[in-house]
Amino acid sequence: MILSPSLLSANFGRLAGECRDMEQAGVTWLHLDVIDGVFAPNITFGIPVIASLRKQCKLFFDAHLMVHNPSRYVEDFAKAGCDLIVVHAEAEVHLQRCLARIRELGCRAGLALNPSTDISCLRWLVSDVDLVLLMSVNPGFSGQKFLPVVEDKIQALRSLLDENNGANVPIQVDGGVSPENIGRLVQCGADVFVSGSAFFNFPPYDTRLKQFQQAADQGELRLAAQVCSEWKPRQA
């Protein structure tokens, strides 16, 4: 199990300090929710903030681009220090080309699906993705409740990936993840978990991380979970 706390719920007055606190707590990934105010109803942060944090932070940068036509920006996010760049299927016309470009830039390529988006397009993109993100809330704001229907979607996606030579592709779940439901999500087939308010609102971070880990308790490690646990920051 990998927990990727969402910076969107951190204290924006001390972002560098928050990163240091997470590192000391044993967190390894940092989820960067980039929203343009068009694809989703919020405006967050962008390339300058990420580039500044990269100079002070050794965490694996997990960038989730909730923006229209993300292919316009992937090179800039790679230069800013992102390690994984996730784009939305709903936001990009030429998905395969965009994912290939992310890999060309030396980053891991991820594809995100909104709650109402069917997983069928993944059948033709399994060889082009390093991770699939399933939104378990509608994108925009932290603190939303998990949509239970996504549990079945995780199971269906895990089967689709496994049946199409994608057993090594991890599934990330974003939205409403907490120690109360993470165990079920692991059983459904998820490997990486984004948590915002359910993480940052419960310091100290080392204790909260342990609570997530204990609740996940997935037993035997799946291939996909093992693969992504070995990913390291490019600029470490």
Side-chain angles (χ1 to χ4, degrees):
M1 185 279 294
I2 290 178
L3 186 69
S4 188
S6 171
L7 193 67
L8 191 58
S9 295
N11 181 347
F12 273 38
R14 57 179 306 272
L15 290 183
E18 291 276 52
C19 288
R20 286 192 294 271
D21 291 347
M22 284 187 281
E23 288 182 30
Q24 293 173 1
V27 172
T28 57
W29 285 35
L30 178 63
H31 192 78
L32 303 164
D33 284 308
V34 179
I35 308 178
D36 63 0
V38 179
F39 180 78
N42 195 359
I43 297 176
T44 56
F45 48 81
I47 295 161
V49 171
I50 294 171
S52 178
L53 286 176
R54 179 76 287 172
K55 297 175 183 177
Q56 307 177 63
C57 182
K58 298 179 181 179
L59 297 174
F60 183 89
F61 276 14
D62 163 24
H64 178 192
L65 307 190
M66 288 172 273
V67 303
H68 269 299
N69 301 320
S71 57
R72 296 176 295 171
Y73 307 110
V74 294
E75 184 171 352
D76 291 328
F77 279 99
K79 289 180 179 178
C82 296
D83 301 297
L84 165 67
I85 299 178
V86 180
V87 300
H88 267 264
E90 306 86 359
E92 180 61 47
V93 175
H94 302 291
L95 273 175
Q96 193 280 332
R97 180 187 298 167
C98 182
L99 294 166
R101 179 56 180 153
I102 293 171
R103 284 178 165 178
E104 288 174 0
L105 293 166
C107 300
R108 306 282 180 179
L111 184 62
L113 304 177
N114 281 337
S116 61
T117 301
D118 193 80
I119 64 172
S120 57
C121 69
L122 263 300
R123 180 182 176 189
W124 313 109
L125 292 169
V126 173
S127 63
D128 297 294
V129 297
D130 296 299
L131 173 145
V132 180
L133 186 163
L134 293 183
M135 292 299 298
S136 44
V137 299
N138 290 295
F141 300 93
S142 62
Q144 299 183 65
K145 292 184 177 179
F146 179 88
L147 296 173
V149 68
V150 177
E151 291 186 11
D152 290 340
K153 191 174 184 181
I154 296 169
Q155 293 177 315
L157 176 58
R158 185 72 271 160
S159 296
L160 184 152
L161 292 171
D162 291 349
E163 292 166 3
N164 289 276
N165 299 314
N168 62 329
V169 177
I171 296 174
Q172 184 180 66
V173 180
D174 182 359
V177 177
S178 70
E180 287 68 39
N181 63 12
I182 193 172
R184 296 197 307 276
L185 303 182
V186 170
Q187 293 174 358
C188 289
D191 310 288
V192 183
F193 304 90
V194 178
S195 181
S197 56
F199 177 81
F200 284 101
N201 290 354
F202 297 87
Y205 297 155
D206 57 347
T207 300
R208 192 57 170 169
L209 177 60
K210 290 178 182 177
Q211 290 172 347
F212 272 95
Q213 291 172 330
Q214 291 171 355
D217 191 21
Q218 63 191 53
E220 184 177 355
L221 191 66
R222 280 188 296 271
L223 174 60
Q226 182 176 352
V227 166
C228 62
S229 69
E230 296 171 355
W231 294 351
K232 303 299 179 184
R234 294 179 299 134
Q235 301 181 22

